[in-house]
Amino acid sequence: MYFSKETLEASEKLSRKSSDEVQKALKNHPEQKKRFSTVSDAEIKRLYTPDDIKDINFAEDIGVPGEFPYLRGNQVTGYRGRYWTFRMFSGMGSARDTNARWKMLLREGQTGLSTAFDFPTLMGYDSDSPKSLGEVGKCGVAIDTLEDFLELMEGIPLADVTTSMTINPPATILWAMYCAAADIKGVPLSRIGGTIQNDMLKEFIAQKTFMCPPEPSVKLISDTVEFGTKYVPRWNTISISGYHIREAGSTAVQELAFTLRDGIEYVEDVVRRKGLNVDDFATRLSFFFNSHSDFFEEICKMRAARRMWAKIMRDRFHAKDPRSLWLRFHTQTAGCSLTAQQPYNNVVRTTVQALAAVLGGTQSLHTNSLDEVLCLPSEHAVEIALRTQQILAEETGVANTIDPLAGSYFIESLTNEMEEKAWDYIQKIDDMGGMVAAIGKGFPQMEISEAAYRFQRQLDAGEKTMIGVNKYATDSTHPIPLVDIEEKVGEEQMRRLKDVRRKRDNKAVKKSLDDIRNACKKEDNVMPCCIEAVKNLATLQEICDVYREVYGEYRDPGLY
Amino acid sequence: MPERTIRVMVAKPGLDGHDRGARILARCFRDAGFEVVYTGCHQTPEQIAAAAVQEDVDLVGLSCLSGAHRALFPRVVELLREKGAADITVIGGGIIPEQDIPLLREAGIKAVFTPGASLESIVEWINSNIKPH
Amino acid sequence: MDATIKKICAGDVRMASRLIRDIEDKIPEAKAKIKKLYAHTGKSFIIGITGAPGAGKSTLTDALIEQLRKKNKTVGVLAVDPTSPFTGGAILGDRIRMQRHAEDAGVFVRSLATRGALGGLSQSVGNAIHVMEAMGKDIIIVETVGIGQQEIDIINHAHSVAVVLVPGMGDEIQTMKAGLMEIADVFVINKANRAGAMQLHTELEGMLNLSSKATDGWKPPVVMVGDAFEPQTFAADTAALTNKIEEHQLYLQESGKLTERMHRKAMTEIHDALRDSLFEPIVNSLTTSGEMKRFAEKIKNRKTDPYTVAEEIAQRFFKHQEEK
């Protein structure tokens, strides 16, 4: 029992007394709302007491950092050994522009790079494709060939800096470019480190950056896990992401459940398809969560995620290595919580969300810039966002002790509740035959749709609040300077592409594309052929077209 | 004369797949009594204009969050004109900086809704500006 | 010839789509246009696709379009979705799966909402088919909602009906119940790579052998179509489906059954037109005048009975017609 008999008795007695007092108080001063709930619409009680967590078993359910169930963190020294990685997501215009922004961030104390690609790159189209009209360089950097990539990495010490690349359908290709770049710079693959997002399931569920159907998409991911396990041991070959699920309007529990269930699907596929032992590759898996506005709910979500993954790896996959049980994750503050109205308020929102991520024990953090709801972030806005993290780490003292909220009646109770609800979802998806099958049925998509619609309705009805939007709205504006990507980035990219196509050895390109086609058909690992192809200056789209040809194209089923 | 049912199309031009807003709008329009044709993500302006004419909608609502609106929105208006369907009203929404709105209005986008616009305000705009004939 | 009619017969999508809208919105002029258009209709082959929601009808329709286009056939598609009984609105989502054909001038996809049709698919389907026929479409595919008894109404509009089933959905029993066994000219077992597909196939064959259709000269074939995510096999399977439908078309023509079906279709059209010209105007005028309410009140209080009321209304109507 977590509490002594005396404590529980006293608690019950005092709670009863308090409850009487509440009834009296309510008569004179009714509460502000009939129902208090989180941003995810989970109901929250007035008061939490020992009674809410009396069934907890301290050693099994809470424990200490660095030990199962890892509720309190993976590292025994927490942030005292090392802060989380300050990793600001950035990318804009041409490779040269982005390279300049990166160098600025490294100068200012950023400790890891994180790449945003433009939509043609994300979707596997070259800058000169008709599909790319108006999109080149807009939401991130445009990469068509290895030449662009080398320019992006110019002057970046690949052996010292870790790089995260937010790339999904063409992840094999961008990672191949990174490997090729390392090779050209004389850095061995064993020394480069970083992350490719490479999580396709959440694309079908939420973000809709997809290319091939789910089944072969998962196969390509398993290829990268296998290749990484064998040759690039410092690389996280997948970042299993709840971030986008949440941005699409899910609840915190849905984010938690769908993300972990995606993780299960990937582990199963690698074990089945590649015959690897779970302990061989478990440390290649990383996670990525959203930190939304509801402070405590977010902290509990992250704590629950760690405990659940440890259980999944131990009990479902029988992992032996303690490190296989670690859920390591990156966090980004919630883009969807930012408002275009009164944009300076976004700094405050981001600060609170970042604090939640830190108290939730994140390994790495991106803080949104105040102008991200309007455009790509300006240099000044990024600086404030980065400073927000530095202030949290070095001024506030929140990093002094590990998991400081543990033991709180409310925190532990909400953590348990969210975990339970998430297990229910996972069970449901298991019963459907797994996540690929559930996606085929539209299950996670529709659950998110319902939640998003409910929130919007609550917002419109004033039941949920967004300051500056449906409450305290003002007409006066304090305009902020916006970053504008010129249309000429597109023209420049087209010129570069034309140049590459003229000077490269087209026979070698054709041969390496044929090799990829054969690897796809024979279910071989595509990574070695991809590295060869990018070195021969095959374009991103040329390789993706091979994938589309062999695996087929996935089109939006348009569930609503 | 019987009253016509308003038909609208919710379309996502470009390559971004952020369809949260588009899907919420589709449901909201249905609840407002409109018939809603939803195109799904990743549509070219050509596909959108062709579909709008085939479906005889009164209004096309474009949603784009990638910054490509400056090229894509006007192109839809232009294509509708080419198809003799200039009477189909085009409105837009998404992450659209204030400074781009005059340019879009000039290109024939009748209204632009930016983040924070309530569902009701959009439905109200349609009800008072769209008179199917 | 009327300018609109001329344009529609020349394949003008804008005009055709506008006329379908007028039909849906019950604009009186639309009826006159259909009259003028009628001589130009009746030459297309009409395929009905029916089956439960989630059976993959839209994806199959999309694949059929592709196959038919390979054979240089022009295609019209009418995709029906349900109207919300609460708001009168509808989300017409079938089109999404067919959007890749949007720019193909040989393909015209039009979504229809059921709009609380008094039985039947959607009141407008029959006339919308005529508009597409007048445009000269070789093939017209009607994709139904997939819920409820009125699904079998498709047989009155289409020449060839494909019933789509999915393994593991308990479809076979539903199929029997709903009378779909009787209307199917071709069965499709969709997502046939799933468990239970072979069993479903065997059960269907069993039922077909028992049914009267087996001796009718055309025993509905059962076509297995694999997962749409497997592009190569899916293309082969849907090509096979297209061939089966074409075989059925040939059978109808050669056996004279096509005339039988055309006759049945004509009967349905008379029914529909009567409902449009006779029944609905009467109901509408009684409703607007408030008489309907008064009649109901009288019936409720047992002052009269429904038959007497109906006779009274009918007499009044025919007298009115004579005076005219």
Side-chain angles (χ1 to χ4, degrees):
Chain A
M1 195 151 57
Y2 191 58
F3 297 105
S4 69
K5 206 164 152 243
E6 290 75 30
T7 307
L8 283 176
E9 275 169 11
S11 163
E12 207 195 322
K13 202 167 131 198
L14 288 170
S15 298
R16 243 196 331 264
K17 186 161 174 261
S18 160
S19 162
D20 292 342
E21 292 300 319
V22 167
Q23 291 314 317
K24 271 185 240 160
L26 287 180
K27 270 184 201 137
N28 301 327
H29 306 287
E31 291 177 335
Q32 298 179 64
K33 297 183 209 171
K34 283 225 158 52
R35 180 172 175 272
F36 287 75
S37 63
T38 66
V39 73
S40 305
D41 207 34
E43 190 158 354
I44 297 296
K45 296 200 291 183
R46 182 178 298 111
L47 189 71
Y48 288 77
T49 67
D51 193 53
D52 291 293
I53 54 169
K54 64 176 190 302
D55 296 328
I56 280 181
N57 177 314
F58 174 75
E60 272 177 34
D61 300 329
I62 297 183
V64 291
E67 292 285 340
F68 187 84
Y70 301 99
L71 174 77
R72 308 198 59 186
N74 306 326
Q75 300 293 343
V76 288
T77 57
Y79 295 134
R80 292 162 71 109
R82 192 171 156 268
Y83 291 126
W84 60 92
T85 306
F86 305 158
R87 196 186 289 284
M88 304 296 287
F89 186 43
S90 60
M92 57 206 284
S94 68
R96 206 177 320 122
D97 301 334
T98 304
N99 179 270
R101 172 65 66 88
W102 280 2
K103 286 178 176 158
M104 172 288 244
L105 285 166
L106 289 174
R107 251 191 340 265
E108 296 300 327
Q110 168 162 297
T111 47
L113 297 172
S114 176
T115 326
F117 296 101
D118 69 355
F119 272 101
T121 310
L122 291 171
M123 289 290 289
Y125 296 109
D126 286 339
S127 298
D128 59 356
S129 158
K131 296 245 185 198
S132 306
L133 174 71
E135 308 264 18
V136 179
K138 281 284 162 61
C139 268
V141 58
I143 301 289
D144 293 314
T145 67
L146 183 63
E147 290 215 335
D148 298 332
F149 200 85
L150 288 171
E151 198 163 281
L152 180 69
M153 292 296 157
E154 194 276 315
I156 306 286
L158 294 189
D160 306 324
V161 173
T162 61
T163 308
S164 164
M165 294 194 281
T166 298
I167 190 79
N168 293 286
T172 47
I173 302 159
L174 270 302
W175 194 34
M177 287 185 186
Y178 204 98
C179 295
D183 202 24
I184 287 164
K185 292 181 172 206
V187 180
L189 290 186
S190 59
R191 286 203 55 195
I192 59 170
T195 306
I196 39 177
Q197 191 166 81
N198 201 22
D199 167 12
M200 282 309 299
L201 292 174
K202 64 95 170 55
E203 297 296 342
F204 300 110
I205 296 171
Q207 195 178 229
K208 317 290 158 73
T209 307
F210 37 56
M211 185 167 82
C212 301
E215 166 82 32
S217 298
V218 172
K219 184 262 174 192
L220 286 176
I221 293 165
S222 291
D223 279 1
T224 62
V225 175
E226 182 187 42
F227 189 80
T229 303
K230 289 184 179 157
Y231 308 108
V232 204
R234 289 180 59 210
W235 203 280
N236 301 308
T237 39
I238 181 164
S239 170
I240 306 159
S241 306
Y243 182 81
H244 319 83
I245 291 174
R246 194 64 179 283
E247 288 289 302
S250 83
T251 65
V253 168
Q254 288 167 351
E255 179 193 356
L256 175 62
F258 297 160
T259 308
L260 297 187
R261 190 58 190 75
D262 286 348
I264 292 171
E265 197 93 343
Y266 294 128
V267 173
E268 281 174 350
D269 195 79
V270 174
V271 170
R272 186 173 47 83
R273 200 188 295 269
K274 303 293 185 186
L276 292 181
N277 186 306
V278 72
D279 283 313
D280 295 339
F281 67 89
T283 48
R284 303 268 62 73
L285 312 173
S286 63
F287 288 81
F288 174 20
F289 289 110
N290 196 306
S291 189
H292 211 293
S293 306
D294 203 291
F295 189 66
F296 296 114
E297 188 175 46
E298 293 310 290
I299 296 168
C300 295
K301 176 186 77 188
M302 294 172 201
R303 298 174 84 243
R306 259 194 311 269
R307 187 163 65 194
M308 289 176 78
W309 189 247
K311 289 179 189 169
I312 289 167
M313 291 307 275
R314 189 189 67 174
D315 304 337
R316 188 167 179 145
F317 294 114
H318 313 295
K320 300 283 179 296
D321 183 350
R323 288 185 48 147
S324 301
L325 311 188
W326 290 4
L327 176 133
R328 297 167 303 128
F329 65 99
H330 171 69
T331 304
Q332 179 169 341
T333 55
C336 64
S337 73
L338 303 186
T339 63
Q341 297 80 355
Q342 308 173 25
Y344 288 101
N345 297 346
N346 293 333
V347 177
V348 184
R349 291 189 178 97
T350 298
T351 307
V352 175
Q353 294 166 6
L355 178 58
V358 170
L359 295 176
T362 193
Q363 271 69 51
S364 151
L365 182 61
H366 166 100
T367 31
N368 287 326
S369 300
L370 69 103
D371 52 0
E372 261 173 89
V373 67
L374 297 163
C375 60
L376 284 178
S378 71
E379 208 161 294
H380 183 218
V382 172
E383 194 188 312
I384 295 172
L386 176 59
R387 296 288 180 249
T388 304
Q389 295 196 37
Q390 291 161 336
I391 290 167
L392 282 176
E394 305 192 35
E395 285 185 7
T396 65
V398 293
N400 287 344
T401 186
I402 304 170
D403 189 25
L405 299 181
S408 146
Y409 310 129
F410 174 46
I411 289 289
E412 296 301 351
S413 162
L414 185 58
T415 304
N416 290 348
E417 187 187 318
M418 292 177 78
E419 177 171 339
E420 247 168 69
K421 287 182 184 161
W423 286 127
D424 286 348
Y425 265 124
I426 289 176
Q427 184 62 50
K428 239 183 222 162
I429 296 165
D430 282 346
D431 291 344
M432 290 180 191
M435 195 48 118
V436 168
I439 288 169
K441 289 187 162 68
F443 174 72
Q445 300 95 310
M446 290 309 291
E447 287 290 304
I448 296 169
S449 248
E450 290 295 334
Y453 194 52
R454 189 169 62 229
F455 179 75
Q456 189 61 45
R457 284 294 184 196
Q458 288 175 331
L459 203 59
D460 281 4
E463 289 163 29
K464 294 274 177 239
T465 305
M466 277 178 103
I467 302 296
V469 176
N470 67 349
K471 209 168 186 184
Y472 312 117
T474 49
D475 288 332
S476 68
T477 49
H478 304 282
I480 50 171
L482 299 182
V483 172
D484 194 19
I485 301 295
E486 295 173 338
E487 307 290 336
K488 75 164 190 260
V489 173
E491 291 158 30
E492 169 72 11
Q493 276 305 114
M494 285 197 219
R495 199 188 50 72
R496 287 173 64 94
L497 257 173
K498 222 165 151 187
D499 210 38
V500 167
R501 287 207 170 96
R502 203 183 51 236
K503 72 176 187 204
R504 68 183 184 179
D505 177 353
N506 280 310
K507 250 196 216 135
V509 171
K510 190 179 170 299
K511 187 187 170 294
S512 47
L513 292 175
D514 286 342
D515 289 345
I516 294 176
R517 188 176 292 109
N518 287 333
C520 289
K521 285 186 175 160
K522 289 195 302 197
E523 297 236 344
D524 287 348
N525 196 314
V526 297
M527 279 309 297
C529 317
C530 277
I531 295 175
E532 190 57 30
V534 300
K535 280 185 179 168
N536 286 328
L537 295 176
T539 70
L540 177 92
Q541 182 171 350
E542 285 166 342
I543 300 174
C544 287
D545 283 344
V546 173
Y547 291 156
R548 291 187 187 102
E549 175 200 319
V550 181
Y551 296 134
E553 243 181 291
Y554 184 84
R555 289 186 304 268
D556 183 10
L559 302 156
Y560 37 81
Chain B
M1 194 77 169
E3 191 151 325
R4 285 186 184 269
T5 302
I6 293 181
R7 276 173 79 90
V8 304
M9 175 176 283
V10 176
K12 272 199 67 59
L15 295 174
D16 91 273
H18 300 102
D19 59 355
R20 176 178 177 168
R23 298 201 300 171
I24 284 178
L25 267 185
R27 294 172 69 132
C28 156
F29 288 162
R30 177 197 58 197
D31 292 350
F34 307 156
E35 284 179 4
V36 192
V37 181
Y38 176 46
T39 63
C41 304
H42 311 140
Q43 300 292 303
T44 61
E46 284 78 8
Q47 284 175 308
I48 292 168
V53 170
Q54 291 180 20
E55 295 290 352
D56 193 43
V57 292
D58 304 301
L59 172 115
V60 177
L62 300 171
S63 163
C64 177
L65 279 75
S66 73
H69 54 269
R70 274 185 292 192
L72 297 173
F73 287 10
R75 182 81 187 121
V76 173
V77 177
E78 195 181 302
L79 287 162
L80 284 174
R81 279 189 194 138
E82 281 172 22
K83 289 173 182 292
D87 56 322
I88 297 179
T89 304
V90 180
I91 64 174
I95 298 188
I96 294 167
E98 199 74 31
Q99 70 214 28
D100 286 356
I101 294 177
L103 179 147
L104 295 177
R105 295 294 300 269
E106 206 166 298
I109 315 296
K110 289 279 158 36
V112 178
F113 295 92
T114 48
S118 76
L119 296 177
E120 266 126 67
S121 67
I122 302 172
V123 170
E124 204 179 284
W125 190 92
I126 295 175
N127 275 324
S128 46
N129 287 278
I130 300 297
K131 296 274 172 275
H133 51 87
Chain C
M1 212 194 318
D2 180 310
T4 320
I5 305 300
K6 209 167 169 178
K7 279 188 173 166
I8 291 174
C9 290
D12 188 311
V13 175
R14 175 92 173 129
M15 283 298 152
S17 183
R18 294 249 65 186
L19 179 53
I20 295 176
R21 177 77 176 281
D22 288 348
I23 294 164
E24 291 184 286
D25 286 339
K26 298 188 179 303
I27 305 299
E29 290 78 16
K31 224 185 273 178
K33 291 240 162 71
I34 292 294
K35 281 189 196 168
K36 287 188 194 153
L37 204 67
Y38 207 81
H40 306 280
T41 65
K43 293 185 196 71
S44 312
F45 188 73
I46 299 155
I47 303 169
I49 309 261
T50 185
K57 295 189 292 291
S58 303
T59 308
L60 275 181
T61 304
D62 173 69
L64 281 181
I65 298 173
E66 186 176 14
Q67 296 298 334
L68 292 165
R69 292 300 292 146
K70 277 190 195 156
K71 300 178 181 223
N72 282 321
K73 302 270 168 94
T74 55
V75 186
V77 176
L78 290 164
V80 188
D81 265 316
T83 296
S84 157
F86 305 108
T87 66
I91 297 184
L92 308 169
D94 296 330
R95 180 181 190 98
I96 297 170
R97 323 273 167 122
M98 308 166 206
Q99 257 305 81
R100 65 181 167 136
H101 304 290
E103 287 178 76
D104 180 348
V107 180
F108 175 18
V109 178
R110 182 65 155 74
S111 313
L112 299 174
T114 51
R115 296 207 181 174
L118 289 165
L121 289 161
S122 147
Q123 283 197 39
S124 322
V125 163
N127 283 329
I129 289 174
H130 291 324
V131 175
M132 288 192 169
E133 285 177 319
M135 290 173 83
K137 298 294 173 209
D138 297 320
I139 308 283
I140 296 166
I141 304 175
V142 181
E143 186 193 324
T144 72
V145 177
I147 322 163
Q149 281 297 315
Q150 67 261 41
E151 283 300 295
I152 52 170
D153 196 35
I154 185 68
I155 193 68
N156 298 317
H157 292 285
H159 299 126
S160 194
V161 175
V163 172
V164 186
L165 306 174
V166 179
M169 278 172 68
D171 274 1
E172 50 284 8
I173 300 142
Q174 285 307 317
T175 310
M176 296 278 283
K177 273 193 194 159
L180 288 178
M181 278 306 276
E182 280 67 34
I183 66 161
D185 298 306
V186 177
F187 279 102
V188 183
I189 297 182
N190 200 17
K191 307 176 190 180
N193 48 328
R194 287 194 188 168
M198 276 323 290
Q199 194 192 334
L200 178 56
H201 192 280
T202 318
E203 283 172 25
L204 263 180
E205 288 285 354
M207 285 194 262
L208 283 169
N209 287 332
L210 290 175
S211 91
S212 56
K213 283 211 165 187
T215 53
D216 197 31
W218 176 262
K219 185 184 156 198
V222 182
V223 185
M224 308 279 265
V225 176
D227 200 308
F229 290 158
E230 297 283 341
Q232 273 92 13
T233 53
F234 186 67
D237 292 347
T238 49
L241 172 62
T242 314
N243 291 337
K244 284 292 172 203
I245 294 173
E246 284 181 339
E247 270 174 41
H248 183 242
Q249 180 179 10
L250 204 65
Y251 161 76
L252 289 175
Q253 285 161 352
E254 286 175 354
S255 66
K257 298 262 178 198
L258 189 62
T259 343
E260 263 175 48
R261 294 218 173 179
M262 303 277 273
H263 188 79
R264 184 167 61 192
K265 198 158 141 60
M267 301 267 281
T268 308
E269 290 190 39
I270 299 173
H271 276 276
D272 285 352
L274 274 176
R275 193 185 54 211
D276 254 24
S277 315
L278 224 54
F279 185 68
E280 284 195 2
I282 295 174
V283 171
N284 287 345
S285 95
L286 290 175
T287 310
T288 7
S289 68
E291 227 176 332
M292 187 69 103
K293 216 175 151 190
R294 287 196 292 278
F295 277 133
E297 199 66 24
K298 274 184 168 173
I299 294 172
K300 193 178 76 187
N301 298 327
R302 298 297 181 272
K303 296 242 161 51
T304 182
D305 63 278
Y307 287 104
T308 311
V309 169
E311 278 162 21
E312 190 189 322
I313 295 167
Q315 262 169 18
R316 203 193 309 165
F317 179 78
F318 286 121
K319 201 167 150 223
H320 174 74
Q321 287 291 330
E322 272 168 34
E323 280 166 9
K324 251 170 128 182

